[in-house]
Amino acid sequence: MRTWGKVLFILVVVSGVVALSTLASAASFDPALKWRTITTPHFRVNYPDHLEDVGQKAARYYEEVHATLSPELQWKPWGRTQVVLTDNTDEANGFTTVLPYNWMILYIVPPRADSVLGTYDDWLKLLITHEYTHTLHLDAAHGLWKPLRLLFGRITSPAGMTPVWIKEGIATYEETKHTAGGRGRSTFTEMMIRTSVLEDQFPRIDEADGFGWEWPSYRIAYLYGVEFIEYLVDTYGEAKFIEFNKRVQRSLLLFMINHHAKALYDKTFYQLWDEWYAKVKEKYQHERDERGSSTELTSLFNPEKDARYLTPEFSPDGTKLAYTVESPHHAAHVRLFDVATEKETIVRKKQGALAISWLPDGSGFVYSAIGSYKRYNSYYDLWQYTFADKKAVRLTHGKRARDPAVHPDGDRVLVVTGSGGKSALEVFSLKEKSLVPLDVSVAPDAQFSRPRWSPDGKQIAVTIHTSDAGWKLYLLSADGKKLERLTKVKGMASEVDAMWLPDGRSLLFSSDVSGISNIYRMN
């Protein structure tokens, strides 16, 4: 009796913590918003009234995804799953829990081109597929767990005791299987695994939950999880992996996933992981032998341990390099590297730059950074750093402006803006401190990334994402009226981060058309 009393006490405490966290989530939304609800047979979709179009689309997608995934994962949740759609952040993400009932939050802004989530066709549908997989996986309770569910509610979630690589791996597997995108077919995912193999840094399965602070940290659970599950499915069949999940969902042997793996695969997950590693090792060593070693690269300086170096941009005269440094040891900041003296200087503390664009005279640069806006929102805005003042000044407030490109005349900045899941190009006047939209004829779901003015200011190179082509490179006239595709590459290969050469007749850009990202030149 005393043991059951302790269990009941723990359940009450956990339920209280969940209730408090739910209240905290509710408090993160602007109280001035007016909310609407669409009720479908299996969902209640809640959204601010300015997201009416997104709410209608999401309600339709949810029922379509339920009709596909519920039979496949062999579970139908009781009651309706509660959904909240929000557009109060510029970072793409989602969150799902089964406590104290089935609910989820979707942040509807699509991922940027440089995001690990950037391989997608329809972002909203991919996100719904991923998050609802979590609901079906974690909510399922078979066997003796059913009567316990009546007593203790959804805190009885046997699949919730599985490792993170299983929980995230299966959701990432489904997002890949049921869309034309997904991290399971991302070249970024393959790059991570290939590099770890060739550099002899492949993680052990007990490191695959991604709790370590070293790169790639939490990404291991998603990227290695989905690739391992795809290996299991390709080698032993999907039905066996579905049966593994059902065994976990009805078994009272919590945490004993190797027991279930042994019963189905005749091998533990330790053995299966080693088996998978041997296969990818053979694959990538053969690939290296076929393609040759990577291009020789020269480091500008000795990198800081565990740091990530992002958004590099040379000054107009090529003597300085501005970039962002992220590290688990300190807050992100913007640094300046002097090419002649090889000296690094921190010019902006406690703030990383998403993208940097120098002023033509080299007196400073404009950059975009994310920050709080009116307490309830987290948006990208423009900042300007000048060397004379040695400080950064905020140029916009709540405009959701990112990817700045300073015009050669130094008076204007081309930026990407967006809200409600949509994207646009706008021109910011440094003198008047105002934004003017650039009228570009693109598909409604198009997303813009990293525009760059030509040296004469008459053309713009920009990457545009559409659901049928992914991220592709385009040439746009300065007035936005003429738009043409620059390559004829088919499929979802990405063409990103265009850079003009000084003569204005050639472009450099990055593409993963071969399956591996490389630098290309276009005349």
Side-chain angles (χ1 to χ4, degrees):
M1 290 295 292
R2 282 181 293 181
T3 300
W4 276 106
K6 290 179 180 179
V7 171
L8 184 59
F9 174 76
I10 292 172
L11 293 176
V12 170
V13 170
V14 171
S15 298
V17 171
V18 170
L20 289 174
S21 66
T22 303
L23 290 173
S25 296
S28 66
F29 299 111
D30 189 340
L33 293 174
K34 296 180 180 180
W35 291 82
R36 295 173 181 258
T37 301
I38 297 175
T39 302
T40 72
H42 303 99
F43 302 92
R44 285 175 60 85
V45 181
N46 307 277
Y47 56 91
D49 57 4
H50 64 277
L51 296 181
E52 179 67 30
D53 292 346
V54 181
Q56 294 287 344
K57 184 186 291 187
R60 184 174 72 254
Y61 281 171
Y62 267 109
E63 287 299 332
E64 291 175 3
V65 170
H66 171 81
T68 300
L69 291 183
S70 182
E72 180 179 321
L73 299 179
Q74 301 176 30
W75 183 252
K76 181 180 178 181
W78 178 86
R80 291 183 174 90
T81 298
Q82 296 288 333
V83 179
V84 176
L85 306 179
T86 181
D87 193 28
N88 64 349
T89 178
D90 282 337
E91 292 291 352
N93 213 332
F95 173 79
T96 297
T97 182
V98 296
L99 299 174
Y101 50 82
N102 293 335
W103 64 278
M104 67 184 72
I105 295 176
L106 303 186
Y107 303 100
I108 66 167
V109 61
R112 303 186 308 273
D114 60 354
S115 169
V116 67
L117 300 168
T119 304
Y120 67 94
D121 51 351
D122 186 320
W123 166 243
L124 186 60
K125 191 164 189 178
L126 184 148
L127 183 60
I128 288 171
T129 302
H130 181 99
E131 298 301 334
Y132 191 54
T133 298
H134 282 317
T135 299
L136 294 172
H137 180 221
L138 299 176
D139 183 64
H142 301 285
L144 290 176
W145 287 107
K146 284 187 176 181
L148 291 175
R149 171 68 58 83
L150 295 175
L151 286 173
F152 300 111
R154 284 186 168 86
I155 199 169
T156 53
S157 173
M161 304 299 176
T162 56
V164 180
W165 68 260
I166 290 180
K167 291 194 282 280
E168 295 300 346
I170 187 174
T172 309
Y173 169 76
E174 296 294 349
E175 87 182 28
T176 305
K177 177 182 177 182
H178 294 290
T179 73
R183 281 161 283 187
R185 58 171 56 91
S186 165
T187 56
F188 181 92
T189 301
E190 188 169 4
M191 175 192 69
M192 291 295 302
I193 294 172
R194 177 179 61 248
T195 305
S196 68
V197 168
L198 297 179
E199 295 184 353
D200 196 25
Q201 296 185 32
F202 198 83
R204 303 185 309 269
I205 193 171
D206 55 3
E207 298 175 314
D209 277 0
F211 291 131
W213 49 263
E214 293 182 331
W215 174 265
S217 186
Y218 67 88
R219 297 171 185 84
I220 290 181
Y222 297 84
L223 308 186
Y224 286 77
V226 64
E227 291 289 325
F228 182 45
I229 289 174
E230 286 186 342
Y231 168 75
L232 294 177
V233 169
D234 292 342
T235 306
Y236 300 98
E238 186 180 71
K240 189 161 287 190
F241 187 71
I242 297 297
E243 179 57 30
F244 162 77
N245 284 312
K246 288 191 68 176
R247 284 181 64 93
V248 170
Q249 291 159 352
R250 65 172 174 261
S251 174
L252 297 179
L253 302 176
L254 299 178
F255 305 106
M256 298 180 65
I257 62 167
N258 280 304
H259 168 79
H260 303 304
K262 186 80 171 176
L264 286 169
Y265 295 101
D266 199 31
K267 299 174 184 177
T268 67
F269 277 129
Y270 290 102
Q271 293 170 313
L272 291 167
W273 187 272
D274 290 342
E275 181 180 280
W276 172 51
Y277 172 59
K279 190 172 183 67
V280 293
K281 184 177 182 179
E282 180 184 7
K283 171 186 174 182
Y284 292 127
Q285 286 181 339
H286 175 73
E287 184 178 272
R288 180 179 58 186
D289 294 340
E290 286 289 314
R291 296 190 177 191
S293 57
S294 61
T295 304
E296 282 289 326
L297 299 173
T298 302
S299 295
L300 286 174
F301 48 80
N302 293 323
E304 176 186 320
K305 186 178 184 297
D306 302 321
R308 296 178 65 209
Y309 291 78
L310 310 168
T311 66
E313 197 76 23
F314 275 109
S315 60
D317 61 6
T319 62
K320 297 179 178 64
L321 181 71
Y323 50 94
T324 293
V325 179
E326 293 182 351
S327 170
H329 306 295
H330 56 71
H333 53 243
V334 179
R335 289 187 193 174
L336 197 69
F337 177 76
D338 189 299
V339 177
T341 64
E342 299 186 354
K343 181 181 179 181
E344 281 188 283
T345 306
I346 298 175
V347 295
R348 182 61 174 165
K349 295 181 178 180
K350 298 181 180 180
Q351 186 183 50
L354 173 70
I356 296 171
S357 182
W358 284 80
L359 298 172
D361 61 2
S363 62
F365 51 83
V366 176
Y367 66 95
S368 54
I370 199 162
S372 177
Y373 177 69
K374 291 187 176 180
R375 180 178 179 182
Y376 299 101
N377 306 296
S378 181
Y379 293 153
Y380 282 106
D381 271 305
L382 295 184
W383 295 71
Q384 182 176 346
Y385 181 88
T386 54
F387 295 106
D389 299 329
K390 293 184 178 180
K391 67 177 183 179
V393 176
R394 190 168 185 170
L395 300 177
T396 64
H397 296 266
K399 296 301 184 181
R400 311 185 76 166
R402 66 181 191 274
D403 294 356
V406 179
H407 191 275
D409 64 15
D411 295 331
R412 294 169 281 168
V413 184
L414 183 62
V415 296
V416 177
T417 61
S419 64
K422 297 181 179 180
S423 181
L425 289 177
E426 298 192 55
V427 177
F428 179 79
S429 170
L430 289 172
K431 293 181 179 179
E432 299 175 3
K433 302 295 187 289
S434 61
L435 277 168
V436 177
L438 195 64
D439 187 17
V440 185
S441 180
V442 292
D445 66 341
Q447 299 291 320
F448 294 96
S449 176
R450 299 290 173 91
R452 286 293 180 264
W453 295 101
S454 60
D456 60 8
K458 295 181 179 180
Q459 298 181 97
I460 301 164
V462 60
T463 293
I464 302 177
H465 180 282
T466 56
S467 58
D468 60 336
W471 299 100
K472 295 295 186 289
L473 190 59
Y474 288 79
L475 192 64
L476 180 66
S477 60
D479 60 6
K481 299 193 180 300
K482 184 180 179 181
L483 180 70
E484 64 175 303
R485 173 88 180 272
L486 283 177
T487 72
K488 297 180 180 181
V489 174
K490 297 181 180 179
M492 299 294 285
S494 295
E495 302 163 358
V496 297
D497 296 333
M499 178 185 295
W500 291 88
L501 293 182
D503 63 4
R505 301 179 63 182
S506 300
L507 281 169
L508 299 180
F509 65 97
S510 172
S511 175
D512 60 1
V513 65
S514 70
I516 297 176
S517 291
N518 277 301
I519 303 299
Y520 292 81
R521 175 173 174 163
M522 171 176 289
N523 294 328

